[in-house]
Amino acid sequence: MAPPFDLNNDGVVVIIGSGAGGGTLGNELAQKGIDVVMLEAGARHEYEDFINDEWDSFAQLAWTDKRTTSGDWRVAKDFPNLPAWIVKAVGGSTTHWAGASLRFQEHEFKTLSTYGKLDGANLLDWPITLAELEPYYAKAEDKLGVTLTNNIPGLPGNNNFKVMKAGADKLGYKECHTGRMAINSEPRDDRNACQQTGFCFQGCKWGAKWSTLYSEIPKGEATGHLEVRPNAMAIKINHDASGKVTGVVYADKDGRLREQKARIVAVAGNSIESPRLLLNSASSQFPDGLANSSGQVGKNYMRHTTGSVYGIFDKPVHMYRGTTMAGIIRDEARNDPSRGFVGGYELETLSLGLPFMAAFLNPGGWGRSFTTGLDHYDHMAGMWIVGEDMPRQENRITLHADIKDAHGMPVADVHFDDHANDTAMRNHAYKQGSALYEAVGATRTFPTPPYPSTHNLGTNRMSEKAADGVVNKHGQAHDIKNLFVSDGSQFTTGGAENPTLTIVSLAIRQAEYIAGQMSAKSI
Amino acid sequence: MVTIYESKPVHETKPALSRRELLKRGGVGALLVISGSAVISPEHAWGLETSALKPETMATLIQMARDIYPHDQVPDKYYAIAVKAHDEQAGKDPAHKDLIEKGIADLDLKSGKGGYTGLGWEEQRVAVLRDIQDTPFFQAVRGGLVVGLYNQKEVWPIFGYEGESYSKGGYMARGFDDIEWL
Ligand SMILES: Cc1cc2nc3c(=O)[nH]c(=O)nc-3n(C[C@H](O)[C@H](O)[C@H](O)COP(=O)(O)OP(=O)(O)OC[C@H]3O[C@@H](n4cnc5c(N)ncnc54)[C@H](O)[C@@H]3O)c2cc1C
Ligand code: SF4
């Protein structure tokens, strides 16, 4: 049957969310002839409609529905209702993302065995290994058209990269290049080549950057097996007496509640919304929420150990020109506890426009120490720190006791405290980043605190044993056979690398598994 | 012709005087003048009409905005535009009007005889601001400025930020890699 699919069609796979995980899974299933209804809370904006303006783009794409925060992280003080900077639109955060596409390292799938038990950290080995994921990483790199893989040339280095590279050479770093980027350095897969516009975070108006919005979704739709329903906010997943899920209740564009029946439900709303939905789907049979017999739904929230370093030079840089994140140093990504922490971090070029720089350089800061920094905006270079943070049970998503959204669904509270390992890593990275810029003549550097989270991970973790986590190695709920988690909330631990390539690889692998299980009639 | 008066804090000004009052700008010499319900910069040919807040309040707000985010190369006009939203909000929301008017009155009180704008040095004014930096009034003014000041497209070139670039074909041929001094 061709789309649109009937609400009572209980043969479809319902996917909640159209971002990296959901968008990829939907296309992969559609390619295999499986009917998919994709519910997406946000609107559909095609890439021509993106806006080269930070706040206007934020208003167009970002998730601004209310959330609350708690914990000792600075975001809770500076942005109490904006714990995360992610997207509510068709394409999800792959509209905003910068395109850095890295594989995890082998040891990052085995953190408990490698790092050992750490106080206050809920480390666990993934139920899969790098070797098992490698074939899927290869498929994902081809799908995304990742530079420096598949004989795709690297992007040319912009000014910001050149400063980073000069500093990396001075510090003796060996692995510094323009990155493995899901951004075309030459036309490929019906996507343009990058024009160095410098608004990667605002959605690429050239379509040079991979996004499920214009890569996966139209391909899936062309098969006649994928229907995307924008402005459809999933509120609750229903189940029957046997404990299988049967459909998804969602609010449509007019706020009317509807139920889409389903043979399989895959949750891919990103790591705040996915556990929120599972928790909100509690029933008398599952009083703690769906798939939550382990009690782990919503726990182990990770956001990567991040921070930025900006440096001011006596001569102009114009860091905002060109690809935002095409520049990386990988030397610190190794696990080397002699630095005073386990795990590692990447250093990647980063630039914000003046409006976001003012908001994020030192939130709450004022006076000349702040403004003299901005005065030299065009003499600034910038880098982002992205490192492995420790999963902690206390860092978690819960349903707010009183505050509800427009549909009457309790909003998510995001609690986060840094682990001592996170703080040690961040301080190390601040020192290295500052030293790097000083080596090329920076007259001042800024250890800039983490922004609202762009990488949200771990809240429905994968585990070998049902008691330790929410889903198995295929992202299938331990408790409910026809319920899947398909986004970054599956991550057992976070690795040092930007997560999207891994999310996409897992989704490709999950699609194979789901198709296999469906044809074997086991789900 | 503008008559120049001695600066006085808002809470002390008699209505008659407040009509035309000079607000001495701390040491810099640029002058903001109150005329009727407007704040006027005779030197730079701009004026700002207020509708809900007292024009004196607005003039003090402009000075306060500059002291919070001082950029010597940014003219007063942009600070005025940045705080204008408080006048609009005050018109819709009496509580906001109260917050701003009382906040400014308090600022003047804390600043001694000549009021906030009577303090000649930025350091003196900043010391008063440090005193109140945790108050909802200060946070409302500071918070509003982050977007109100820095999101004005007209100020971007002053900082060397070029803004929108898609319509110009990106920076492919416009210097994305033109750094020469490394
Ligand atoms: C500015 C920025 C830069 C980034 N740069 C990089 C990078 O360079 N490299 C990298 O690897 N990663 C990057 N990321 C992170 C990356 O975008 C995310 O990790 C990835 O998109 C997450 O995929 P996801 O499927 O989990 O969620 P998303 O892509 O966020 O998609 C989730 C979707 O689900 C929808 N949704 C949520 N709840 C519901 C509901 N109840 N009903 C219906 N729909 C719902 C949301 O609206 C959203 O569209 C960046 C992110 C940001 C914001
Ligand atoms: S720099 Fe390249 S990838 Fe980024 S928005 Fe511009 S064209 Fe797109």
Side-chain angles (χ1 to χ4, degrees):
Chain A
M1 243 198 19
F5 296 109
D6 194 88
L7 287 173
N8 289 315
N9 183 339
D10 60 3
V12 299
V13 176
V14 174
I15 300 177
I16 295 152
S18 62
T24 303
L25 178 68
N27 180 29
E28 291 288 315
L29 291 175
Q31 296 297 333
K32 296 178 202 304
I34 296 167
D35 292 338
V36 175
V37 172
M38 193 179 290
L39 303 176
E40 168 53 57
R44 187 164 183 161
H45 307 279
E46 300 301 344
Y47 67 74
E48 302 81 20
D49 305 331
F50 290 155
I51 310 168
N52 269 197
D53 180 297
E54 290 180 310
W55 285 117
D56 287 352
S57 171
F58 188 83
Q60 180 186 47
L61 297 172
W63 184 287
T64 51
D65 295 5
K66 189 165 190 143
R67 289 170 173 151
T68 59
T69 46
S70 52
D72 72 7
W73 55 329
R74 225 181 111 171
V75 167
K77 176 171 169 277
D78 299 326
F79 306 99
N81 297 121
L82 192 72
W85 170 12
I86 44 178
V87 173
K88 180 181 180 181
V90 175
S93 305
T94 67
T95 57
H96 259 355
W97 82 313
S101 301
L102 305 170
R103 296 183 182 197
F104 270 35
Q105 305 165 72
E106 189 171 9
H107 73 268
E108 289 168 334
F109 290 98
K110 297 182 287 198
T111 53
L112 182 57
S113 348
T114 312
Y115 307 156
K117 269 199 184 321
L118 243 70
D119 270 353
N122 192 18
L123 287 169
L124 186 70
D125 290 354
W126 287 58
I128 47 171
T129 60
L130 175 63
E132 275 173 275
L133 205 56
E134 264 167 353
Y136 299 96
Y137 270 138
K139 285 184 187 177
E141 285 165 347
D142 182 46
K143 180 192 276 292
L144 274 59
V146 178
T147 56
L148 303 180
T149 75
N150 296 287
N151 297 316
I152 302 170
L155 287 158
N158 68 352
N159 292 330
N160 203 20
F161 170 72
K162 287 181 169 180
V163 176
M164 169 181 266
K165 178 75 169 81
D169 290 347
K170 289 244 161 80
L171 291 199
Y173 281 142
K174 295 280 176 293
E175 204 181 345
C176 175
H177 51 73
T178 59
R180 293 173 185 265
M181 303 297 293
I183 293 179
N184 278 351
S185 53
E186 48 192 34
R188 186 179 190 273
D189 195 26
D190 287 335
R191 285 190 280 125
N192 291 315
C194 171
Q195 301 300 311
Q196 303 291 336
T197 310
F199 283 89
C200 307
F201 285 170
Q202 282 65 46
C204 178
K205 278 183 82 71
W206 302 94
K209 179 184 81 179
W210 177 85
S211 168
T212 53
L213 171 66
Y214 42 85
S215 308
E216 302 308 303
I217 287 169
K219 285 183 187 165
E221 288 172 325
T223 64
H225 294 288
L226 170 64
E227 179 193 344
V228 179
R229 267 177 227 163
N231 305 303
M233 169 79 189
I235 301 228
K236 188 176 199 292
I237 300 169
N238 285 335
H239 64 82
D240 62 17
S242 78
K244 277 190 356 188
V245 295
T246 54
V248 179
V249 179
Y250 67 95
D252 71 9
K253 63 177 189 339
D254 306 314
R256 268 185 307 187
L257 293 189
R258 311 202 164 257
E259 183 186 3
Q260 173 65 55
K261 297 282 182 204
R263 174 167 169 187
I264 292 170
V265 173
V267 184
N270 206 326
S271 293
I272 298 177
E273 294 308 310
S274 289
R276 177 185 178 210
L277 180 61
L278 294 178
L279 293 172
N280 197 52
S281 301
S283 63
S284 52
Q285 195 172 339
F286 299 113
D288 299 323
L290 290 189
N292 199 18
S293 65
S294 65
Q296 294 290 314
V297 170
K299 293 186 180 168
N300 313 301
Y301 170 68
M302 295 173 288
R303 59 183 308 257
H304 272 144
T305 293
T306 66
S308 312
V309 180
Y310 292 96
I312 290 180
F313 299 84
D314 58 349
K315 300 198 188 65
V317 177
H318 300 287
M319 65 173 173
Y320 57 85
R321 293 184 186 167
T323 328
T324 307
M325 202 170 262
I328 191 168
I329 295 166
R330 305 210 60 188
D331 298 61
E332 301 286 1
R334 70 193 191 280
N335 174 41
D336 171 6
S338 75
R339 290 173 298 180
F341 53 88
V342 299
Y345 61 87
E346 314 274 353
L347 297 172
E348 300 171 352
T349 56
L350 178 75
S351 157
L352 300 177
L354 185 76
F356 273 17
M357 190 60 82
F360 295 125
L361 179 64
N362 181 17
W366 60 278
R368 287 208 180 251
S369 114
F370 178 79
T371 55
T372 50
L374 290 182
D375 283 341
H376 303 291
Y377 174 76
D378 55 356
H379 285 50
M380 238 183 212
M383 70 169 84
W384 196 49
I385 300 156
V386 48
E388 178 162 27
D389 61 339
M390 291 298 109
R392 291 164 50 81
Q393 306 225 43
E394 300 75 15
N395 291 347
R396 63 188 291 198
I397 313 301
T398 50
L399 298 179
H400 198 282
D402 316 308
I403 305 175
K404 296 195 164 63
D405 70 9
H407 310 295
M409 181 177 180
V411 306
D413 181 74
V414 183
H415 181 95
F416 190 88
D417 302 313
D418 272 323
H419 188 275
N421 196 75
D422 306 347
T423 310
M425 179 187 289
R426 184 179 297 116
N427 288 338
H428 187 270
Y430 280 152
K431 281 208 187 96
Q432 292 304 115
S434 303
L436 184 146
Y437 283 146
E438 280 155 13
V440 254
T443 53
R444 189 175 171 192
T445 56
F446 298 78
T448 296
Y451 312 129
S453 318
T454 54
H455 299 175
N456 298 270
L457 303 166
T459 50
N460 294 303
R461 69 172 9 180
M462 261 190 195
S463 63
E464 187 71 54
K465 296 193 203 116
D468 295 335
V470 180
V471 296
N472 68 16
K473 64 177 180 176
H474 298 289
Q476 181 178 32
H478 286 301
D479 300 346
I480 302 174
K481 266 200 329 199
N482 65 340
L483 176 64
F484 288 79
V485 174
S486 318
D487 58 16
S489 67
Q490 300 172 79
F491 283 27
T492 312
T493 51
E497 293 74 23
N498 315 54
T500 305
L501 187 75
T502 303
I503 295 175
V504 170
S505 304
L506 290 172
I508 299 171
R509 183 169 174 272
Q510 184 178 71
E512 271 182 26
Y513 178 78
I514 291 178
Q517 296 288 301
M518 283 175 82
S519 48
K521 303 252 183 304
S522 43
I523 43 177
Chain B
M1 192 37 215
V2 172
T3 318
I4 295 180
Y5 292 94
E6 211 25 63
S7 159
K8 280 209 182 145
V10 171
H11 66 279
E12 280 184 10
T13 350
K14 291 182 213 95
L17 246 192
S18 76
R19 290 269 136 196
R20 290 183 149 281
E21 184 194 4
L22 161 84
L23 287 147
K24 229 194 274 164
R25 294 288 323 286
V28 184
L31 301 175
L32 289 186
V33 174
I34 307 296
S35 168
S37 62
V39 182
I40 293 171
S41 168
E43 237 178 299
H44 297 102
W46 62 268
L48 186 67
E49 198 81 37
T50 66
S51 56
L53 296 174
K54 292 188 205 131
E56 294 82 358
T57 300
M58 192 53 90
T60 306
L61 261 184
I62 295 170
Q63 179 65 61
M64 180 184 170
R66 179 179 286 286
D67 293 333
I68 293 175
Y69 290 124
H71 294 288
D72 300 337
Q73 73 282 31
V74 174
D76 268 344
K77 183 174 138 189
Y78 301 113
Y79 288 98
I81 295 171
V83 294
K84 173 89 173 109
H86 291 293
D87 185 51
E88 282 150 26
Q89 207 186 330
K92 286 180 232 149
D93 176 7
H96 192 75
K97 183 172 172 179
D98 213 43
L99 179 79
I100 301 293
E101 290 290 5
K102 284 199 176 135
I104 291 291
D106 176 58
L107 196 63
D108 277 333
L109 208 60
K110 286 196 161 61
S111 303
K113 226 172 141 264
Y116 183 74
T117 55
L119 295 172
W121 287 92
E122 182 181 306
E123 282 89 333
Q124 296 174 300
R125 296 189 300 273
V126 164
V128 182
L129 294 180
R130 291 254 173 256
D131 239 25
I132 62 153
Q133 65 177 338
D134 294 326
T135 62
F137 162 66
F138 180 88
Q139 286 306 329
V141 176
R142 190 203 60 73
L145 281 170
V146 175
V147 177
L149 179 63
Y150 297 107
N151 204 33
Q152 292 179 51
K153 292 190 173 55
E154 294 73 19
V155 312
W156 294 349
I158 302 174
F159 292 90
Y161 177 54
E162 295 169 90
E164 193 275 336
S165 89
Y166 170 76
S167 68
K168 300 170 192 137
Y171 290 101
M172 200 65 167
R174 295 191 311 125
F176 79 99
D177 63 349
D178 65 358
I179 197 162
E180 274 168 4
W181 52 266
L182 279 166

